[in-house]
Coordinates of all heavy atoms in Angstrom, one line a residue:
Q1159 N -29.9 -28.6 17.8 CA -30.5 -28.6 16.5 C -31.9 -28.0 16.6 O -32.6 -28.2 17.6 CB -30.6 -30.1 16.0 CG -31.1 -30.2 14.6 CD -30.9 -31.6 14.0 OE1 -30.3 -32.4 14.7 NE2 -31.4 -31.8 12.8
V1160 N -32.4 -27.4 15.5 CA -33.7 -26.8 15.5 C -34.4 -27.3 14.3 O -33.9 -27.5 13.2 CB -33.6 -25.3 15.5 CG1 -32.9 -24.8 14.2 CG2 -34.9 -24.6 15.6
Q1161 N -35.7 -27.5 14.4 CA -36.6 -27.9 13.3 C -37.4 -26.7 13.0 O -38.1 -26.1 13.8 CB -37.4 -29.1 13.7 CG -36.6 -30.4 13.9 CD -37.5 -31.6 14.1 OE1 -38.5 -31.5 14.7 NE2 -37.1 -32.8 13.5
L1162 N -37.4 -26.4 11.7 CA -38.2 -25.2 11.2 C -39.3 -25.7 10.3 O -39.2 -26.6 9.6 CB -37.2 -24.4 10.3 CG -36.0 -23.9 11.0 CD1 -35.1 -23.1 10.0 CD2 -36.3 -23.0 12.2
E1163 N -40.4 -25.0 10.5 CA -41.6 -25.3 9.7 C -42.2 -24.1 9.1 O -42.7 -23.2 9.9 CB -42.7 -26.1 10.6 CG -43.9 -26.5 9.8 CD -44.8 -27.4 10.6 OE1 -44.5 -27.6 11.8 OE2 -45.9 -27.8 10.1
E1164 N -42.3 -24.0 7.8 CA -42.9 -22.9 7.1 C -44.4 -23.1 6.9 O -44.8 -24.3 6.8 CB -42.2 -22.6 5.8 CG -40.7 -22.4 5.8 CD -39.9 -23.6 5.5 OE1 -40.5 -24.7 5.7 OE2 -38.8 -23.5 5.0
C1180 N -42.5 -18.9 9.9 CA -41.5 -20.0 10.1 C -41.4 -20.2 11.6 O -41.0 -19.3 12.4 CB -40.2 -19.5 9.5 SG -38.8 -20.7 9.9
A1181 N -41.9 -21.3 12.1 CA -41.9 -21.6 13.5 C -40.7 -22.6 13.9 O -40.3 -23.4 13.1 CB -43.2 -22.3 13.9
G1182 N -40.2 -22.4 15.1 CA -39.3 -23.3 15.6 C -38.0 -22.8 16.2 O -37.4 -23.4 17.0
A1183 N -37.6 -21.6 15.8 CA -36.3 -21.0 16.2 C -36.5 -19.9 17.2 O -37.3 -19.0 16.9 CB -35.5 -20.5 15.0
D1184 N -35.8 -20.0 18.3 CA -35.9 -18.9 19.3 C -35.0 -17.8 19.0 O -34.3 -17.7 18.0 CB -35.7 -19.5 20.7 CG -34.3 -20.1 21.0 OD1 -33.4 -19.7 20.2 OD2 -34.2 -20.9 21.8
G1185 N -34.8 -16.9 20.0 CA -34.0 -15.7 19.7 C -32.5 -15.9 19.7 O -31.8 -14.9 19.5
S1186 N -32.1 -17.1 19.9 CA -30.7 -17.4 19.8 C -30.2 -17.6 18.3 O -29.1 -17.9 18.1 CB -30.3 -18.6 20.7 OG -30.9 -19.8 20.2
Y1187 N -31.2 -17.6 17.4 CA -30.9 -17.8 16.0 C -31.1 -16.6 15.2 O -32.1 -15.9 15.3 CB -31.8 -18.9 15.5 CG -31.6 -20.3 16.1 CD1 -32.2 -20.7 17.2 CD2 -30.7 -21.2 15.4 CE1 -31.9 -22.0 17.8 CE2 -30.5 -22.5 16.0 CZ -31.1 -22.8 17.1 OH -30.8 -24.1 17.7
S1188 N -30.2 -16.4 14.3 CA -30.4 -15.5 13.1 C -31.3 -16.2 12.2 O -31.2 -17.4 12.0 CB -29.1 -15.1 12.4 OG -28.2 -14.4 13.3
M1189 N -32.2 -15.4 11.5 CA -33.2 -16.1 10.6 C -33.1 -15.5 9.2 O -32.7 -14.3 9.0 CB -34.6 -15.8 11.1 CG -34.9 -16.4 12.5 SD -34.8 -18.2 12.6 CE -36.1 -18.6 11.5
G1190 N -33.4 -16.3 8.3 CA -33.4 -15.8 6.9 C -34.5 -16.5 6.1 O -35.0 -17.5 6.4
R1208 N -30.6 -11.8 15.4 CA -31.1 -12.5 16.5 C -32.0 -11.5 17.4 O -33.1 -12.0 17.9 CB -30.0 -13.1 17.4 CG -29.2 -14.1 16.7 CD -28.3 -14.9 17.6 NE -27.3 -14.1 18.2 CZ -26.3 -14.5 18.9 NH1 -26.1 -15.9 19.0 NH2 -25.4 -13.7 19.4
R1227 N -40.0 -10.9 13.4 CA -40.0 -12.0 14.2 C -40.7 -11.7 15.5 O -40.7 -10.6 16.0 CB -38.6 -12.6 14.5 CG -37.7 -11.7 15.2 CD -36.2 -12.2 15.2 NE -36.1 -13.6 15.6 CZ -35.0 -14.3 15.5 NH1 -34.0 -13.8 14.9 NH2 -35.0 -15.6 16.0
K1231 N -43.1 -16.1 20.6 CA -43.7 -17.3 20.0 C -42.7 -18.1 19.1 O -43.1 -19.1 18.5 CB -44.9 -16.9 19.1 CG -46.0 -16.3 19.9 CD -47.2 -15.9 18.9 CE -48.4 -15.3 19.7 NZ -49.5 -14.9 18.9
N1232 N -41.5 -17.6 19.1 CA -40.4 -18.3 18.3 C -40.9 -18.5 16.8 O -40.8 -19.5 16.2 CB -40.1 -19.6 18.9 CG -39.4 -19.5 20.2 OD1 -38.9 -18.5 20.6 ND2 -39.4 -20.6 21.0
I1233 N -41.4 -17.4 16.2 CA -41.8 -17.4 14.9 C -41.2 -16.2 14.1 O -41.1 -15.1 14.6 CB -43.4 -17.3 14.7 CG1 -44.0 -18.5 15.5 CG2 -43.8 -17.3 13.3 CD1 -45.5 -18.4 15.4
A1234 N -40.8 -16.5 12.9 CA -40.3 -15.5 12.0 C -41.3 -15.3 10.9 O -41.9 -16.3 10.5 CB -38.9 -15.8 11.4
C1251 N -37.4 -21.0 4.9 CA -36.8 -20.2 6.0 C -35.5 -21.0 6.5 O -35.4 -22.2 6.3 CB -37.7 -20.0 7.2 SG -38.2 -21.4 8.2
A1252 N -34.6 -20.2 7.1 CA -33.4 -20.8 7.6 C -33.0 -20.2 8.9 O -33.4 -19.0 9.2 CB -32.3 -20.6 6.5
A1253 N -32.2 -20.9 9.7 CA -31.8 -20.4 11.0 C -30.3 -20.8 11.2 O -29.8 -21.8 10.7 CB -32.6 -21.0 12.1
D1254 N -29.6 -20.0 12.0 CA -28.3 -20.3 12.4 C -27.9 -19.5 13.7 O -28.4 -18.4 13.9 CB -27.3 -19.8 11.3 CG -25.9 -20.4 11.4 OD1 -25.2 -19.9 12.3 OD2 -25.6 -21.3 10.6
T1255 N -27.1 -20.2 14.5 CA -26.8 -19.6 15.8 C -25.8 -18.5 15.7 O -25.5 -17.7 16.6 CB -26.3 -20.6 16.8 OG1 -25.2 -21.3 16.2 CG2 -27.4 -21.6 17.1
S1256 N -25.1 -18.4 14.5 CA -24.1 -17.3 14.4 C -24.7 -16.0 14.4 O -25.7 -15.7 13.7 CB -23.3 -17.5 13.1 OG -22.6 -16.4 12.8
A1259 N -24.9 -14.5 10.9 CA -25.5 -15.2 9.8 C -26.4 -14.3 8.9 O -26.5 -14.5 7.7 CB -26.3 -16.4 10.3
E1264 N -25.6 -17.1 5.5 CA -25.2 -18.5 5.5 C -25.9 -19.1 6.7 O -25.7 -18.7 7.9 CB -23.7 -18.7 5.7 CG -22.9 -18.1 4.4 CD -21.4 -18.2 4.6 OE1 -21.0 -18.5 5.7 OE2 -20.7 -17.9 3.6
Y1265 N -26.6 -20.2 6.5 CA -27.4 -20.8 7.5 C -27.2 -22.3 7.6 O -27.0 -23.0 6.6 CB -28.9 -20.5 7.3 CG -29.2 -19.0 7.4 CD1 -29.1 -18.2 6.3 CD2 -29.6 -18.5 8.6 CE1 -29.3 -16.8 6.4 CE2 -29.9 -17.1 8.7 CZ -29.7 -16.3 7.6 OH -30.0 -15.0 7.7
E1266 N -27.3 -22.8 8.8 CA -27.1 -24.3 9.0 C -28.5 -25.1 8.9 O -28.5 -26.2 8.4 CB -26.5 -24.5 10.4 CG -26.3 -26.0 10.7 CD -25.5 -26.2 12.0 OE1 -25.2 -25.2 12.7 OE2 -25.2 -27.4 12.3
Y1267 N -29.5 -24.5 9.4 CA -30.8 -25.2 9.5 C -31.8 -24.6 8.5 O -31.9 -23.4 8.3 CB -31.4 -25.1 10.9 CG -30.4 -25.6 12.0 CD1 -29.7 -24.7 12.8 CD2 -30.2 -27.0 12.1 CE1 -28.8 -25.2 13.7 CE2 -29.3 -27.4 13.1 CZ -28.6 -26.6 13.9 OH -27.7 -27.0 14.8
W1268 N -32.5 -25.6 7.9 CA -33.5 -25.2 6.8 C -34.8 -25.9 7.0 O -34.9 -27.0 7.5 CB -32.9 -25.6 5.5 CG -31.7 -24.8 5.1 CD1 -30.4 -25.1 5.5 CD2 -31.6 -23.6 4.3 NE1 -29.6 -24.1 5.0 CE2 -30.3 -23.2 4.3 CE3 -32.6 -22.9 3.6 CZ2 -29.9 -22.1 3.6 CZ3 -32.2 -21.7 2.9 CH2 -30.8 -21.4 2.9
G1269 N -35.9 -25.2 6.6 CA -37.2 -25.8 6.6 C -37.4 -26.5 5.3 O -36.6 -26.5 4.4
Q1270 N -38.6 -27.1 5.2 CA -39.0 -27.9 4.0 C -39.4 -27.0 2.9 O -39.5 -27.5 1.7 CB -40.0 -28.9 4.4 CG -39.6 -30.0 5.4 CD -38.5 -30.8 4.8 OE1 -38.6 -31.3 3.7 NE2 -37.5 -31.1 5.6
G1271 N -39.8 -25.8 3.2 CA -40.3 -24.9 2.1 C -41.8 -24.8 2.0 O -42.5 -25.8 2.3

Side-chain angles (χ1 to χ4, degrees):
Q1159 187 171 354
V1160 63
Q1161 290 187 327
L1162 305 174
E1163 182 174 1
E1164 303 98 334
C1180 175
D1184 62 24
S1186 65
Y1187 292 87
S1188 297
M1189 300 295 297
R1208 296 190 299 188
R1227 64 190 306 169
K1231 297 181 179 180
N1232 294 340
I1233 300 177
C1251 72
D1254 196 284
T1255 55
S1256 168
E1264 296 176 351
Y1265 296 87
E1266 181 174 2
Y1267 304 104
W1268 294 83
Q1270 295 296 315

